[in-house]
């Protein structure tokens, strides 16, 4: 596992979350999963042993309105970069970087690697 390589993954589609988790783990990254808004509420900064260097957040997850999980991640981890993964690009704020579903996993990994490297260069 990589040092400081935790990724917060907020995704309600179990198959996609598992595939992304496997993909990230193959790169030495640790996944902190959340499938709904209550899961995200439980994962506040003080409940995690390590702070994630990145959050991958689906805009639509059960338990709240569209974007509620993203708002909570933004509040709990204000310094953590966020990539929004969604099939609904019109619902994404321009302040967030959007990865539109369906996406090319190689491009997603490339972006994640760039964010990891940038964090460790500073």
């Amino acid at each position: 596992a990589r040092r400081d390589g935790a990724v917060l993954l907020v995704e309600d589609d179990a198959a996609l979350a598992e595939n992304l988790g496997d993909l990230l783990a193959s790169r030495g990254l640790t996944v902190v999963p959340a499938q709904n808004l209550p899961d995200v509420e439980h994962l506040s900064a003080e409940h995690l042993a390590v702070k994630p260097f990145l959050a991958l957040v689906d805009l639509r997850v059960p338990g709240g309105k569209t974007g509620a999980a993203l708002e909570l991640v933004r509040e709990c981890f204000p310094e953590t970069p966020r990539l929004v993964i969604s099939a609904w690009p019109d619902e994404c704020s321009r302040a967030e970087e959007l990865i539109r579903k369906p996406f090319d996993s190689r491009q997603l990994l490339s972006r994640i690697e760039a964010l990891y490297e940038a964090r460790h260069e500073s």
Side-chain angles (χ1 to χ4, degrees):
R2 293 190 202 190
R3 181 176 170 262
D4 300 326
V7 176
L8 175 58
L9 175 60
V10 182
E11 174 58 58
D12 64 319
D13 181 320
L16 178 57
E18 183 178 348
N19 288 340
L20 285 172
D22 291 346
L23 188 65
L24 295 169
S26 75
R27 296 297 178 106
L29 300 171
T30 302
V31 175
V32 178
Q35 293 184 335
N36 52 48
L37 192 58
D39 287 351
V40 176
E41 290 170 344
H42 181 71
L43 294 175
S44 64
E46 56 271 3
H47 286 107
L48 292 179
V50 295
K51 181 180 169 192
F53 83 90
L54 173 68
L56 292 175
V57 184
D58 188 354
L59 277 181
R60 291 184 172 185
V61 295
K65 65 181 173 102
T66 297
L70 178 62
E71 290 173 18
L72 191 54
V73 168
R74 192 182 297 129
E75 288 172 23
C76 292
F77 305 99
E79 302 299 318
T80 300
R82 294 165 300 275
L83 297 178
V84 174
I85 49 178
S86 180
W88 311 99
D90 295 339
E91 295 176 355
C92 183
S93 162
R94 298 205 189 279
E96 304 295 340
E97 185 174 345
L98 174 68
I99 305 295
R100 186 174 179 163
K101 291 179 181 177
F103 50 83
D104 180 330
S105 58
R106 291 172 297 174
Q107 289 178 343
L108 177 62
L109 275 178
S110 176
R111 184 65 186 123
I112 291 170
E113 291 289 353
L115 289 167
Y116 182 84
E117 293 302 321
R119 177 164 182 117
H120 290 87
E121 288 175 359
S122 58

